[in-house]
Amino acid sequence: TLWPPLERPRSAFRQEFAPSPDARRRSDWAGAMPRTAIEAAKLFVDFANETGSPYHTVSAATGLLRASGFVELTDGKPWALSPGGKYYVTKGGSEFMAFVVGNKFRSAGAQSGFAIVGAHTDSPCLRLRPNSKMSSAGMLQVGIQTYGGGLWHTWFDRPLGLAGKVVVRQGGEGDSKLAEKLVRISEPMMVIPNLAIHLQTADESKAFQVNKESHLQPVLCSKGFDDSAATSAGRSEEAKEGKDGIYARHHAALLEQVAKRIGCAPTDIVDADLCLMDAMPSCLAGLYQEFISSPRIDNLLSTWAAVQGICDFATSDAVSEAQDICVAVSFDHEECGSQSTCGADSNTLPCWLETMMSCLQVPTDERPGIYTKSFMVSADCAHGVHPNYAAKHQSEHRPEFHKGIVIKTNANQRYATTALTSALFREVCKQADVPVQDFVVRNDSPCGTTIGPICASKLGIRTIDVGAPQWAMHSCRETCATSDAGHLSNMCKAFYEKFRKIDSTTSQL
């Protein structure tokens, strides 16, 4: 039931998803599901405010996993696994997988498989070029590349910070080594100014056209202010001249800020992968705080929900009866095709799954049976119907905020959903009291895609594409509903708990 807008009490969303009185008193929320919508939304907001790059997404996710007792494993080295254990592994700093081995995995009479929730760690953004040093009209600027398919006009007139990975040289002459460091500068240190309407032609003002090469280069500072700051700080002549080494590639002012955050000298910096980000923190919004306003909701929300779901599952009593290996995995580079060492189209996930089975002594000839019983939920945000552009949606498939998780279907396999995977997923959600709705694109509209079809084809396992509805996908700042953060995390936990029983009682062709 939806309240009239001016009558809905602020407590309404706290009542939805309300836990029992006993659960309310628990200091540890693990297992006390479902959470209130506001509780779930605030957990996500806290998570989002630690991120800014795929590397920081992995860092925030593994922090939650460690807090729930997950043990870190090393990619490429032997793993010691046991039933009931909970583990995680990372690759390249931008991809991770967490998993829980059910206590009854391959026990007598068990129908064991992998129960996987998959997402991605990356979002469209502006990334620094290898040589970012540029200037114009008395302003120091930072050269960028566009990453993914962003709504680039939304990056204008917005204070920007940066986050990413820096490679530094440590040690003295003849004894140096390279090390990777994370850096996150949340302060608004750059801006991409718009052009005043008075300086545009009539045609230009009618349709805002962005030239990605010449219009998207952020302003860092004025040359006059930087010269003054350099003198006050006693900047070296090498840095002032900027002709050699790292100073020839990036402005000294930028290098100094990065070096300050990671505790090194600017000349120690060898290389970097840095993403620009909205400097405004994620927050709750709307008259009744029913919306989440945040950068990178696509696909931070799904990554957070998968991690939160597996953490809640891992600390519940359900693990003792679980027959599956329950997995949460999030890949990099989905926004540019997934073809990379850390992308869904790499051999990393198949290799990790095989390693698990080897460590758990699953005979080679029994492994196809494990895959046959497996299931993957590809979780990526969906297009919620826009109140100003409702006609852009197919009239019978208009996902709304607060109405639940969206099942995404495409007859041409841009999504991996099938009738059977949809039915199994609906049953999981029904038993968990999580509402479900459907989405297909209009026949006269292009359809995006996800990691779902990629993983389904590489692994040969049943897959469904789902997600929480959102507005302004690929904008610098996006919007979703507080209640759907709760719906998504509740669904992930319920999937790990309930899927095996539902699947084992289903008759298939």
Side-chain angles (χ1 to χ4, degrees):
T1 301
L2 296 179
W3 286 261
L6 296 180
E7 298 176 13
R8 188 164 194 174
R10 185 172 289 275
S11 62
F13 288 94
R14 292 190 179 275
Q15 294 167 5
E16 190 177 6
F17 302 108
S20 66
D22 288 340
R24 285 183 186 277
R25 288 191 291 269
R26 291 180 56 176
S27 59
D28 177 10
W29 276 93
M33 299 294 281
R35 290 180 175 86
T36 67
I38 293 294
E39 283 287 346
K42 286 182 176 179
L43 288 175
F44 169 68
V45 165
D46 290 343
F47 179 86
N49 283 334
E50 294 182 30
T51 69
S53 73
Y55 309 109
H56 287 82
T57 301
V58 171
S59 177
T62 54
L64 292 178
L65 293 166
R66 286 191 297 273
S68 292
F70 281 71
V71 176
E72 184 176 9
L73 304 171
T74 302
D75 182 38
K77 291 187 178 181
W79 298 351
L81 310 180
S82 61
K86 44 191 179 182
Y87 312 92
Y88 75 91
V89 61
T90 66
K91 189 178 186 71
S94 63
E95 175 189 8
F96 74 89
M97 179 184 70
F99 62 100
V100 178
V101 183
N103 269 357
K104 294 192 175 180
F105 178 71
R106 295 186 67 245
S107 62
Q111 297 190 38
S112 299
F114 294 107
I116 306 171
V117 178
H120 63 89
T121 61
D122 61 320
S123 301
C125 67
L126 306 177
R127 298 177 100 130
L128 262 67
R129 292 170 174 162
N131 300 323
S132 74
K133 189 175 183 178
M134 59 185 300
S135 61
S136 177
M139 295 291 162
L140 304 191
Q141 293 179 274
V142 177
I144 57 87
Q145 304 179 77
T146 56
Y147 174 80
L151 290 175
W152 303 122
H153 65 276
T154 65
W155 288 73
F156 284 76
D157 304 320
R158 191 182 295 272
L160 301 173
L162 63 79
K165 179 171 69 173
V166 180
V167 181
V168 300
R169 184 178 289 107
Q170 297 179 330
E173 191 72 28
D175 189 32
S176 65
K177 59 181 180 180
L178 299 179
E180 293 181 323
K181 302 283 186 179
L182 290 183
V183 62
R184 186 177 190 273
I185 303 177
S186 59
E187 292 83 1
M189 62 184 301
M190 297 182 231
V191 67
I192 306 173
N194 224 316
L195 180 65
I197 191 171
H198 314 85
L199 301 179
Q200 300 180 39
T201 66
D203 288 340
E204 287 173 336
S205 62
K206 283 181 182 178
F208 182 35
Q209 299 291 328
V210 178
N211 183 304
K212 292 184 286 188
E213 177 61 27
S214 57
H215 296 160
L216 279 175
Q217 311 308 322
V219 173
L220 180 65
C221 62
S222 68
K223 186 178 185 303
F225 263 66
D226 187 55
D227 288 344
S228 177
T231 300
S232 300
R235 186 179 292 170
S236 69
E237 289 302 315
E238 178 189 14
K240 289 180 181 179
E241 292 178 6
K243 296 180 179 179
D244 300 310
I246 197 69
Y247 290 121
R249 296 169 54 196
H250 305 285
H251 286 300
L254 177 63
L255 293 169
E256 288 165 358
Q257 290 300 313
V258 171
K260 178 181 176 181
R261 285 349 189 258
I262 60 177
C264 72
T267 51
D268 292 333
I269 297 173
V270 179
D271 237 315
D273 180 10
L274 299 175
C275 306
L276 272 61
M277 65 177 188
D278 185 358
M280 180 180 174
S282 305
C283 63
L284 302 186
L287 180 61
Y288 302 109
Q289 292 192 315
E290 63 177 294
F291 306 128
I292 299 172
S293 173
S294 174
R296 304 176 299 281
I297 287 175
D298 172 25
N299 196 27
L300 281 180
L301 183 62
S302 301
T303 295
W304 167 79
V307 172
Q308 193 66 62
I310 202 167
C311 286
D312 291 337
F313 168 73
T315 52
S316 72
D317 295 336
V319 177
S320 62
E321 297 298 319
Q323 301 177 32
D324 293 321
I325 298 177
C326 298
V327 178
V329 60
S330 198
F331 305 94
D332 197 0
H333 301 131
E334 189 273 348
E335 298 293 357
C336 59
S338 295
Q339 293 184 323
S340 70
T341 56
C342 299
D345 203 22
S346 75
N347 203 40
T348 299
L349 180 59
C351 181
W352 280 345
L353 299 182
E354 284 291 315
T355 300
M356 278 188 242
M357 290 191 285
S358 294
C359 293
L360 293 168
Q361 299 181 338
V362 179
T364 303
D365 61 351
E366 293 183 19
R367 295 179 188 180
I370 298 291
Y371 288 115
T372 298
K373 296 181 180 69
S374 298
F375 192 98
M376 182 174 192
V377 175
S378 167
D380 204 345
C381 290
H383 299 292
V385 63
H386 194 303
N388 297 335
Y389 302 92
K392 292 292 185 180
H393 275 68
Q394 204 283 321
S395 57
E396 287 76 48
H397 298 84
R398 292 179 171 177
E400 298 180 32
F401 282 13
H402 310 302
K403 295 292 185 70
I405 305 305
V406 180
I407 296 176
K408 301 187 282 187
T409 304
N410 182 263
N412 296 300
Q413 290 299 292
R414 299 289 287 174
Y415 302 131
T417 305
T418 67
L420 177 60
T421 61
S422 176
L424 290 167
F425 182 81
R426 290 178 199 273
E427 192 62 25
V428 169
C429 291
K430 179 182 177 182
Q431 293 189 19
D433 293 324
V434 173
V436 172
Q437 47 190 331
D438 291 278
F439 173 77
V440 298
V441 296
R442 291 168 53 101
N443 287 326
D444 56 359
S445 175
C447 183
T449 191
T450 69
I451 65 166
I454 295 172
C455 292
S457 61
K458 288 187 74 71
L459 297 172
I461 67 174
R462 297 166 296 171
T463 304
I464 186 171
D465 271 296
V466 306
Q470 70 160 101
W471 292 329
M473 187 178 291
H474 290 193
S475 173
C476 185
R477 196 171 187 91
E478 303 165 329
T479 305
C480 68
T482 53
S483 60
D484 292 325
H487 289 141
L488 197 60
S489 61
N490 293 349
M491 177 277 293
C492 291
K493 179 172 183 279
F495 169 66
Y496 295 132
E497 291 179 343
K498 302 177 184 296
F499 172 76
R500 178 51 53 209
K501 183 176 181 180
I502 294 169
D503 187 47
S504 62
T505 57
T506 299
S507 299
Q508 302 183 36
L509 294 178

